[in-house]
Amino acid sequence: MIKSYIDASTKGNPGPSGGGIVLLGEDIYEQESFALTQLSNHQAEFAVFSHLLDDLYKRGLHTQTILVYTDSKILAQTVQKDYTKNRDFKKYLVEIQEKLTNFPLLLIQWIPESKNNGADHLARQGLQKAIQLEDR
C-alpha cells in the first residue's frame, strides 16, 4: 500500500503556483516540491493530483493500493463523485478520469489542513520555485 499526501499553494488567484507531494510506502519515503503555471488555487490542487498520477504510473506503482490524502474538499469530492459542474475543473476531471483507468484501487480522502503539514510545506517550496521562474 502507498499513501500520498498532496497539496498546492498559490500566490494570487490565479497566480504562480506550486505543488507538494509526500509519498509513503514499503521502502518508500519521498518528498517532492515543484513549480506550476499560473493557476487558481483549486486548479493547482487538481494539477498536483494529476502530477501524482503521472508519477505513480511512470514508476510502475499504479498497480498497488493507493491512498491519497488532500486538504482540498473540492478535489476530493469531485474525484469521488466523478462529476463537476464547474467549467474550470471539467478539463482536469476528464484528464484525471482517463488516468485513473490505469489504477485498479486508488482512494482519495479529504483531511484537515492540520494533518497535511508536510505536503503544505513542500507546496510552499514549489510556489517559491514558481515565483523565482517568473522573476527571470
Side-chain angles (χ1 to χ4, degrees):
M1 179 187 333
I2 295 175
K3 291 182 181 180
S4 181
Y5 295 82
I6 62 173
D7 201 7
S9 183
T10 301
K11 182 178 182 184
N13 202 16
S17 303
I21 297 173
V22 176
L23 205 58
L24 306 166
E26 191 173 313
D27 300 325
I28 299 173
Y29 179 80
E30 297 177 16
Q31 300 180 2
E32 180 183 9
S33 66
F34 49 93
L36 295 167
T37 58
Q38 294 264 338
L39 299 168
S40 73
N41 191 345
H42 295 306
Q43 290 170 327
E45 297 283 358
F46 281 90
V48 172
F49 183 55
S50 183
H51 178 92
L52 170 68
L53 296 177
D54 289 340
D55 184 51
L56 292 170
Y57 186 78
K58 287 176 190 170
R59 296 169 59 178
L61 300 173
H62 61 288
T63 59
Q64 296 191 37
T65 299
I66 300 166
L67 302 174
V68 179
Y69 298 100
T70 177
D71 59 20
S72 169
K73 283 185 180 179
I74 289 177
L75 172 63
Q77 289 174 347
T78 300
V79 173
Q80 288 167 350
K81 292 179 181 177
D82 204 24
Y83 176 77
T84 184
K85 291 181 188 177
N86 189 310
R87 289 182 185 177
D88 292 339
F89 306 155
K90 280 197 189 254
K91 77 171 193 164
Y92 291 102
L93 181 58
V94 169
E95 179 182 300
I96 287 167
Q97 287 169 328
E98 186 176 311
K99 292 176 183 183
L100 285 174
T101 62
N102 296 309
F103 291 80
L105 186 54
L106 183 144
L107 303 171
I108 186 167
Q109 181 178 344
W110 175 82
I111 58 172
E113 285 182 31
S114 62
K115 303 280 187 194
N116 205 23
N117 289 333
D120 176 67
H121 182 71
L122 292 166
R124 290 175 192 271
Q125 288 178 6
L127 173 58
Q128 290 307 311
K129 291 176 186 180
I131 291 170
Q132 289 172 353
L133 288 172
E134 278 195 352
D135 290 343
R136 291 183 184 172

